[in-house]
């Protein structure tokens, strides 16, 4: 009777074993890496909005303070989006009549809200409070990025818990003295930030219920 | 068939006709399948389907389909887990310990015991998983760098559990596989059919019975045996810590670890008996698994039974002297006379009463009796875990929170189903893996012959 | 709510302007509900589907994300209780008491707390119906308009009947007045099953001034008008450290068991038929002419002596449902003791038509049956269900050609009427109401009617030919016309002030001279019948009007801890005689009508007497109430005693959804009580087990604020308001009867009842103890429950994988598990959820968090204001609701707070201290004040 295995059998068996070992090693590493990519975190994801609102023009060009539209930022948990009628004072009727403003006009006439797409989304069990941050030296751009330069607003940060904790565990590395008002987009030196931490008396807020309630 | 298959371990003389008998007896089940095998297989398959259904239903609907409640947040699933893990002890205990203690008689049953171990531990592993409220997040129990920037709680025994059980499973598998290689080689060379032989060939890892292979295998087995022996003790100790680190009266006790290990081996040996007795009938292995072997197992069972009885005594003596009123009432009132009192007494009858039969040499050599005793003790050990887990929880520190527990059909289905699953896999093992270590058997036979000559 | 009250009041000032805007603009609030829901966190899962944000079109005076509070009142049987309602973007989510209001004093009862869920009840009537078909308001206007009404009911309205719930609203009274002016022969009947009569005067008690109280068959601490106020005053005299004039003593004489009775120093169970004779003998004993014959009399003499010793500072209270004879005797005894105008006095009744000739319901029923009623308007009372069975009111109503029903639900009465008009919930209505003492308040809406509901005023206006009246304008007109506002400033200012405060200060009625004391009449009791049946409102769903509230159905009955149904309570001796055990069915037969109920054997119940409760066995279109329990109204003989009563063991038994099967302490030191001998405070009985472990080192406490709670068992009555408040604040789900049977109720805060050897039963609110060395924390494999820097035992739902080890290791068993996805699905009732609290997913553990959402909000607010937060500025939901201020919350660093004073009191102890868990919740031992004379006998 012929031999059971071909001469190459041993070799291919060894190769197979090595391959198996490699897979066992690589798969977890791949997963670990993927979880941190924008594909998984949604970082840099932008949405087409019903109204082509240009932050570049309003925030950068006209230097309109963020709070003019996002009025809740300093007082409430939600920064809030502007009521439709906020657009009206500045924009002349002529402008409003342009097709770009159709959703705004319909909103005003039917008094149904404009349906903006949510760009920066936290899980429902995360209770983020804008006032608590903005009031204590966290600039808008620390989390939202250079919105004034975004033609289409995108999610600037990965928004993973790890990312939140970077700051909550070491606030002095991130918070900034509010000198130029909310819309000052300057990263300042650490020594100054440490002074700021003392100034606002920011604690290392790492209790779970700081964000999860 | 080529002669090399019968090449004996270097320390044995050339093979004899008796050796051939042994090999033939061990390979026989792989050649022919008795009709009864198919019957049992069908039954177990049906039970497994039930198990699958119950599991899917649980995951889909939620743990609420079980009978658990507050205060009894742990019940059947945990009881079953501990019970199966316990059963998963005998195999390695018999193989490893007895190997280290040079007990040649173990050869006849070691393979069966080891495979039983693997299957039992694997099944046990399903319960903690199934038991989670959100099983899809089970991996949060393992330490890995998550984007949440948090780690498991290394203070919790549940986190240790994962490590303990997994490592025990891996090492036991290795031990089992190393032991089986020469017999797989026998199958490779002794069976018909090219495909079939190739499969065995792959698993035999090119075993050719060279002296060096025998020596290295023996060395490796000795080393792993040492490790497994340690694990046998560690695994169930850690499982017991799931309870003894708690403050709950009935759980919070430092003598739980040894007590659990003893109980585990107890149920394991019982399961071995329950399996061995029918198998030797089914496959005519009476010549291999002799009454002497059964007698030895029975003695082992009796010894451990007495040890366990001692543990019970110690536990209750300590409890009765405790300065914790809750501990006193739990052991002296709630367990024996509480919601599940009758189960408590039933447990004592099974675990303490049954082994007493084995003082009689005649009964020790009556297979049916041994199988029966095995079943009784398995039931008893299951009840013991039920009393510890459920009875302690049901009547806790605040009388206002006392609440009884009643299992649902899902609980029963999963328990029965897990038994079927065990049977199913075990039957497959019998069908495809040589059920005994021929080399050990041959050494055993040779040494006995040598003793006779002297 | 986390800010000091004056500050909140100021905030209210701003808010109320928001509430006076043109109601049409309120519609915008509705549009937000969608958005608010998205913010409410309806699932706990990490997948984040793309979603939209819907900002306002025209933003009202509010900032999204900041809750507002409005003042309003809720009326029960016509009597108002002042409330402050929390509203998120126009969505009312939580009821609190109005500290300025005499009926609330800042507290709330179970009904007020649960009323917000009723607002969103998906079962509410949603459309005007004429028989099967939908109808329009105008069609109804045509039907009830003057010409068609006159043609049908006669020019003087002889064929018109108005069957209304009692009301104290001057507005409704005014409109009714106009209706009656127009239709002088119309039959107006005020009916409430629990209010036998409408006397011209009501009795006021000063519970706080009474040293000795004898309560006769009344639950004055837990139900009835002003019970919150009475409970507060009573509890004030149960704290020996602070009680002005020392502790009071409470004697209770009752047949069935009440919350008040369970807390009595001495309780005497008497068959209802014997109560009046007992009071007669007591009166005699007080007058000093009595000869001890029975042990009863011996007891009586001791009580009489005690009462006499405190003449003028004692109080005898007879329940509203006791027969007139008993009430008269109680009054006579008070007079004999000289309590009149001291601890008890009289005022005008705030109810409309009080003292007038209110026709009996049966007379109206006869007219309807006789066919001379052609138009019936029934509003606010489910009369077909909640009336004596022999009256067969439903059949009578069906005889009326045009019967119009204004109600929240399509209930039994709705089925008997041709026309159904959805009623506006009080949180949707403009109106007014008076408190028990006459204090006048405005009912202010927080939201547009969700189901297009109408108020009674709108309906009655149809009779006057006014189809589109604005209740808001009408209200302001009547108030302006009445002129009791425009005293100090312009009407607008005063009006705003009233809206802001939630009441018109000083509008309470003055004391009236005592009505002529009627001579004690011999009570007309029937000859001895083998059995008595006592009919009582259910302690939770009351007369049935609240039966469709899952919160109330699942709130355990204080006496039996039975949920989701009603039972027949009998004494142990009676049970023995009938060969009964708890759960066995009994057949109760009164005058030929019978109903089967499961029996519950309770200690301390009068023998040969069964207590059964109203409110269950509903057959209307309310999905929650339907199928829960059995209806006992058919047996009800009204305010008569019935001779023809039989109670017998029926075949079969039923498993009851009891939350606490085991009521005895079994040697546990969980509740501790001490006797206030000579009003001196002793340490709690030191039969406490010694600590088993070395005091654990609980680590450093990085935060200044360290949260803690005390619960005074001496003040707690066990009313259960805290449980519902917690449920409302923390989105605690309702699980239903089947799950309660399996021991899976979800209440974060439960009330344990321990029957003690001295027969007094002690309630113990049990919630997460926030142990400094918490057993739950170290056993969780995923750090889902950990300790915060400010001493909270945190529960992180989104990290929990559900091993449930924490619950096993919790000696207090206060942790709850989501066995199923209890929060899945659901209709409009989801709108009641608190957006500041995560809604928990299936498979996770949950428990009391000390209302951490309130703590964090307060911290953030304080830091924004740049001031240090004081612990006493944060109130937990249970603390805020508690009528007796038994629950106190605060921080350990605030040494002079009420909580810290209680914490260091000699009565303070920790439950299961011996386990070394170092709980942050401390209990204050119950203080009993027994009469030595009776103790020695016992």
């Amino acid at each position: 009777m012929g031999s059971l295995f071909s001469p190459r059998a041993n070799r291919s068996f060894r190769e197979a074993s090595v391959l198996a070992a490699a897979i066992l090693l690589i798969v977890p590493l791949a997963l670990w890496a993927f979880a941190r990519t924008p594909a998984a975190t949604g970082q840099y994801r932008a949405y087409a909005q019903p109204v082509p609102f240009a932050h570049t023009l309003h925030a950068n060009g006209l230097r309109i303070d963020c709070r003019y539209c996002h009025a809740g930022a300093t007082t409430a948990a939600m920064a809030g989006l502007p009521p439709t009628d906020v657009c009206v004072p500045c924009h002349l009727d002529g402008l409003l009549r342009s097709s770009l403003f159709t959703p705004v006009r319909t909103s005003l006439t039917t008094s149904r809200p404009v349906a903006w797409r949510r760009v920066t989304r936290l899980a429902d069990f995360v209770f983020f409070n804008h006032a608590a941050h903005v009031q204590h030296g966290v600039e808008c751009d620390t989390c939202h990025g250079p919105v004034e330069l975004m033609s289409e607003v995108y999610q600037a940060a990965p928004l993973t818990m790890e990312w939140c904790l970077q700051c909550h565990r070491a606030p002095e590395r991130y918070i900034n003295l509010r000198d130029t008002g909310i819309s000052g987009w300057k990263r300042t030196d650490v020594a100054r930030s440490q002074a700021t931490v003392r100034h606002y008396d920011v604690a290392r807020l790492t209790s779970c219920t700081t964000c999860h309630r | 068939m080529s002669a090399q298959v019968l090449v004996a371990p270097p320390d044995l003389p050339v093979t004899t006709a008796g050796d051939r008998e042994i090999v033939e007896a061990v390979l026989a089940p792989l050649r022919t399948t008795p009709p009864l095998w198919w019957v049992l297989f069908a039954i177990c398959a049906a039970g497994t389907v039930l198990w699958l259904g119950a599991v899917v239903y649980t995951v889909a609907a939620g743990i609420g389909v079980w009978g658990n409640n507050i205060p009894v947040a742990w019940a059947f699933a945990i009881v079953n887990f501990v019970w199966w893990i316990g059963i998963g002890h005998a195999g390695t205990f018999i193989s490893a310990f007895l190997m280290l203690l040079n007990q040649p008689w173990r050869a006849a049953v070691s393979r069966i015991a080891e495979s039983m171990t693997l299957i039992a531990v694997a099944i046990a592993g399903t319960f903690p998983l199934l038991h989670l409220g959100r099983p899809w997040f089970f991996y949060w129990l393992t330490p890995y760098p998550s984007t949440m920037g948090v780690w498991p709680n290394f203070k919790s025994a549940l986190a240790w559990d994962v490590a303990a059980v997994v490592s025990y499973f891996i090492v036991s598998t290795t031990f089992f596989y190393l032991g089986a290689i020469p017999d797989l080689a026998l199958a490779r060379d002794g069976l018909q059919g090219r495909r079939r032989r190739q499969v065995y060939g792959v698993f035999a890892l090119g075993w050719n019975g060279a002296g060096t292979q025998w020596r290295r295998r023996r060395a490796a087995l000795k080393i792993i045996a040492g490790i497994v022996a340690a694990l046998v003790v560690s695994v169930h100790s850690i499982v017991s810590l799931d309870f003894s680190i708690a403050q709950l009266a009935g759980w919070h006790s430092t003598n739980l670890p040894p007590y659990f290990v003893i109980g585990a081996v107890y149920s394991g040996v019982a399961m071995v008996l329950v399996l061995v007795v029918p198998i030797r009938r089914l496959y005519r292995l009476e010549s291999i698994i002799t009454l002497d072997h059964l007698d030895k197992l029975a003695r082992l069972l009796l010894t451990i039974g007495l040890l366990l009885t001692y543990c019970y005594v110690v536990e209750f003596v300590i409890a009765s002297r405790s300065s914790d009123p809750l501990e006193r009432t739990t052991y002296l009132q709630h367990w024996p006379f509480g919601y599940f009192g009758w189960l408590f007494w039933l447990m004592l009858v099974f675990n303490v009463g049954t082994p007493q039969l084995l003082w009689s040499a005649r009964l020790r050599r009556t297979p049916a009796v041994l199988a029966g005793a095995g079943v009784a003790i398995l039931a008893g050990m299951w009840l013991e875990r039920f009393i510890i887990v459920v009875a302690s929880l049901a009547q806790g520190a605040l009388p206002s929170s006392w609440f009884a527990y009643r299992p649902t059909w899902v609980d029963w289905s999963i328990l029965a189903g897990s038994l079927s699953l065990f049977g199913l896999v075990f039957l497959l093992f019998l069908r495809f893996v040589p059920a005994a270590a021929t080399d050990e058997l041959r050494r055993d036979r040779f040494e006995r012959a040598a003793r006779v000559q002297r | 709510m986390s800010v000091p009250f004056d500050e909140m009041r100021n905030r209210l000032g701003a808010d109320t302007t928001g509430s006076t805007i043109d109601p049409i603009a309120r519609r915008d609030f509705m549009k937000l509900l969608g958005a608010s829901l998205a913010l409410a966190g309806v699932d706990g899962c990490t997948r984040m589907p793309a979603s939209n944000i819907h900002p306002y079109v025209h933003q009202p005076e509010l900032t999204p994300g900041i809750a507002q509070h409005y003042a309003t009142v809720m009326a029960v049987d016509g009597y108002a209780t002042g409330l402050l309602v929390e509203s998120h973007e126009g969505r009312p989510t939580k009821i609190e008491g109005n500290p300025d209001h005499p009926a609330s004093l800042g507290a709330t009862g179970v009904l007020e707390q649960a009323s917000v869920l009723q607002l969103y009840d998906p079962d509410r009537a949603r459309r005007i119906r004429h028989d099967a078909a939908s109808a329009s308001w105008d069609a109804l206007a045509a039907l009830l308009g003057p010409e068609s009404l006159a043609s049908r009911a006669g020019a003087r309205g002889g064929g018109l009947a108005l069957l209304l719930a009692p009301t104290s609203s001057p507005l409704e009274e005014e409109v009714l007045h106009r209706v009656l002016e127009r239709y002088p022969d119309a039959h107006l009947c005020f009916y409430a099953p629990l209010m036998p009569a409408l006397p011209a005067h009501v009795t006021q008690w000063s519970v706080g001034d009474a040293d000795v109280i004898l309560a006769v068959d009344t639950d004055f601490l837990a139900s009835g008008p002003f019970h919150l106020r009475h409970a507060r005053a009573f509890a004030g005299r149960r704290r020996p450290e602070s009680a002005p004039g020392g502790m009071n003593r409470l004697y209770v004489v009752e047949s069935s068991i009440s919350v008040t009775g369970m807390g009595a120093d001495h309780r005497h169970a008497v068959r209802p038929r014997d109560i009046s004779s007992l009071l007669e003998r007591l009166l005699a004993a007080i007058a000093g002419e009595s000869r001890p014959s029975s042990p009863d009399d011996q007891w009586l003499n001791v009580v009489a002596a005690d009462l006499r010793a405190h003449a003028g500072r004692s109080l005898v209270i007879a329940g509203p449902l006791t027969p007139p004879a008993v009430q008269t005797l109680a009054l006579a005894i008070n007079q004999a003791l000289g309590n009149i105008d001291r601890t008890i006095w009289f005022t005008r009744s705030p109810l409309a038509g009080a003292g007038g000739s209110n026709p009996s319901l049966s007379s109206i029923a006869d007219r309807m049956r006789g066919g001379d009623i052609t138009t019936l308007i029934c509003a606010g009372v489910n009369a077909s269900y909640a009336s004596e069975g022999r009256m067969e009111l439903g059949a009578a109503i069906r005889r009326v050609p045009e019967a119009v029903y204004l109600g929240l639900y399509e209930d039994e009465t709705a089925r008997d009427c041709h026309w159904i008009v959805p009623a506006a919930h009080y949180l949707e209505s403009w109106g007014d109401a008076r408190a028990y003492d006459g204090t006048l308040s405005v009912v202010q809406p927080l939201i547009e009617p969700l189901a297009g509901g109408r108020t009674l005023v709108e309906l009655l206006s149809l009779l006057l030919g006014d189809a589109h009246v604005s209740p808001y304008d009408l209200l302001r007109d009547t108030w302006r016309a009445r002129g009791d506002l425009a005293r100090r400033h312009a009407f607008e200012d005063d009006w705003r002030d009233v809206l802001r405060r939630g009441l018109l200060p000083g509008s309470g009625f003055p004391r009236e001279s005592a009505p002529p004391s009627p001579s004690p009449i011999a009570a007309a009791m029937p000859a001895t019948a083998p059995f008595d049946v006592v009919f009582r409102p259910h302690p939770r769903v009351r007369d049935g009007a609240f039966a469709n509230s899952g919160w109330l159905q699942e709130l355990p009955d204080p006496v039996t801890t039975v949920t989701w149904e009603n039972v027949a309570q009998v004494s142990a001796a009676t049970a023995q005689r009938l060969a009964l055990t708890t759960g066995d069915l009994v057949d109760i037969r009164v005058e030929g009508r019978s109903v089967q109920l499961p029996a519950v054997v309770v200690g301390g119940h009068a023998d040969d007497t069964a207590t059964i409760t109203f409110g269950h066995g509903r057959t209307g279109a309310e999905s929650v109430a339907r199928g829960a329990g059995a209806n006992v109204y058919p047996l009800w003989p009204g305010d008569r005693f019935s001779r023809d009563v039989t109670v017998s063991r029926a075949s079969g038994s039923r498993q009851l959804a009891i939350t606490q099967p085991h009521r005895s302490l079994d040697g546990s030191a969980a509740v501790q009580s001490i006797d206030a001998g000579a009003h001196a405070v002793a340490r709690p009985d030191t039969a406490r087990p010694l600590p088993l472990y070395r005091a654990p080192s609980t680590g450093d406490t990085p935060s200044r604020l360290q949260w803690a709670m005390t619960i005074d068992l001496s003040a707690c009555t066990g009313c259960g308001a805290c449980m519902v408040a917690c449920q409302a604040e923390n989105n605690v789900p309702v699980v239903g009867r089947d799950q309660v049977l399996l021991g899976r109720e979800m209440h974060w805060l439960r009330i344990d009842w321990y029957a003690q050897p001295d027969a007094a039963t002690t309630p113990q609110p049990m919630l997460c103890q926030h142990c400094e060395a918490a057993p739950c924390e170290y056993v969780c494999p995923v750090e889902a429950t950990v300790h915060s820097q400010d001493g909270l035992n945190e529960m992180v739902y989104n990290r929990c994988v559900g091993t449930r080890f924490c619950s096993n290791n919790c000696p207090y068993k206060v942790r709850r598990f989501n066995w199923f996805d209890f929060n899945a699905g659901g209709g409009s009732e989801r709108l009641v959820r608190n957006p500041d609290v995560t809604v928990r997913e299936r498979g996770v553990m949950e428990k009391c968090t000390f209302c951490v959402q309130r703590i964090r909000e307060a911290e953030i607010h304080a830091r924004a204001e740049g001031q240090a937060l004081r612990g006493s500025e944060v109130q937990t939901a249970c603390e805020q609701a508690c009528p007796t201020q038994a629950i106190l919350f605060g921080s350990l660093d605030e040494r002079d707070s009420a909580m810290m004073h209680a914490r260091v009191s000699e009565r303070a102890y920790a439950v299961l201290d011996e386990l070394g868990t170092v709980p942050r919740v401390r209990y204050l031992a119950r203080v009993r004040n027994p009469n030595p004379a009776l103790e020695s006998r016992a």
Side-chain angles (χ1 to χ4, degrees), chain C residues 29-39 54 831:
Chain C
F29 288 54
M30 285 302 303
K31 290 207 202 70
L32 248 131
L33 292 181
S36 314
L37 248 196
L39 300 166
H54 297 139
L831 294 176

Side-chain angles (χ1 to χ4, degrees), chain A:
Chain A
M1 68 191 213
S3 69
L4 206 49
F5 292 103
S6 73
R8 296 192 59 268
N10 283 353
R11 184 142 170 282
S12 40
F13 182 83
R14 287 200 194 84
E15 288 166 357
S17 335
V18 172
L19 187 65
I23 289 172
L24 281 182
L25 197 65
I26 288 165
V27 167
L29 283 174
L31 286 172
W32 175 83
F34 172 75
R36 287 153 176 79
T37 59
T41 61
Q43 196 174 5
Y44 308 127
R45 189 185 300 145
Y47 295 94
Q49 298 292 357
V51 182
F53 178 87
H55 280 87
T56 45
L57 173 61
H58 294 78
N60 199 12
L62 305 171
R63 307 285 298 179
I64 298 174
D65 190 299
C66 307
R67 287 168 295 181
Y68 183 78
C69 296
H70 306 288
T74 52
T75 57
M78 288 179 262
L81 259 61
T84 319
D85 55 13
V86 168
C87 307
V88 178
C90 312
H91 291 279
L92 314 164
D93 303 358
L95 243 150
L96 269 174
R97 231 175 266 113
S98 91
S99 63
L100 296 179
F101 283 85
T102 323
V104 177
R105 283 201 310 277
T106 37
S107 165
L108 288 170
T109 47
T110 62
S111 71
R112 300 205 134 280
V114 180
W116 300 92
R117 300 296 304 280
R118 190 184 291 275
V119 175
T120 308
R121 179 114 198 262
L122 294 176
D124 290 326
F125 49 74
V126 180
F127 291 85
F128 177 86
N129 186 302
H130 274 89
H133 291 80
V134 172
Q135 292 270 11
H136 298 94
V138 181
E139 300 284 10
C140 303
D141 66 322
T142 311
C143 308
H144 292 291
V147 177
E148 79 284 4
L149 305 178
M150 300 179 185
S151 52
E152 212 174 43
V153 178
Y154 57 84
Q155 172 188 330
L159 299 180
T160 59
M161 180 168 159
E162 205 172 28
W163 174 81
C164 299
L165 282 173
Q166 286 171 7
C167 184
H168 275 238
R169 284 174 175 158
E172 65 279 1
R173 305 219 321 262
Y174 296 88
I175 73 169
N176 192 350
L177 203 56
R178 194 195 311 143
D179 43 11
T180 58
I182 285 305
S183 44
W185 304 289
K186 294 202 314 301
R187 175 70 52 247
T188 50
D189 58 292
V190 172
R192 182 135 168 272
S193 289
Q194 270 155 352
T196 323
V197 168
R198 278 193 298 280
H199 171 73
Y200 291 122
D201 149 53
V202 176
R204 276 169 181 60
L205 292 167
T206 50
S207 291
C208 306
T209 48
T210 307
C211 314
H212 304 301
R213 296 160 204 165

Side-chain angles (χ1 to χ4, degrees), chain B residues 327-405:
Chain B
E327 188 173 3
R328 281 201 304 276
T329 46
T330 301
Y331 283 87
L332 305 179
Q333 289 170 29
H334 299 166
W335 280 13
F337 310 113
Y339 292 145
F340 305 101
W342 64 283
L343 288 177
F344 174 83
W345 297 109
L346 195 59
M347 168 196 91
L348 284 189
V349 172
F350 283 153
N351 290 351
V352 180
T354 322
Q356 308 311 327
L357 298 175
L358 306 178
W359 292 104
S360 136
R362 193 168 53 74
L363 294 180
R364 280 205 304 271
R365 303 183 80 83
T366 320
V369 171
L370 295 181
V375 173
I377 287 167
L378 284 174
M381 288 312 294
W382 191 91
L383 286 176
E384 180 200 293
R385 273 63 174 258
F386 183 87
I387 295 294
I388 294 174
V389 175
V390 177
S392 308
L393 284 171
Q395 292 173 283
L398 283 187
S400 64
S401 67
W402 292 0
F403 206 89
Y405 162 82

Side-chain angles (χ1 to χ4, degrees), chain B residues 48 58 68 130 165 320 358:
Chain B
T48 307
T58 303
N68 301 38
L130 200 56
V165 173
S320 60
L358 306 178

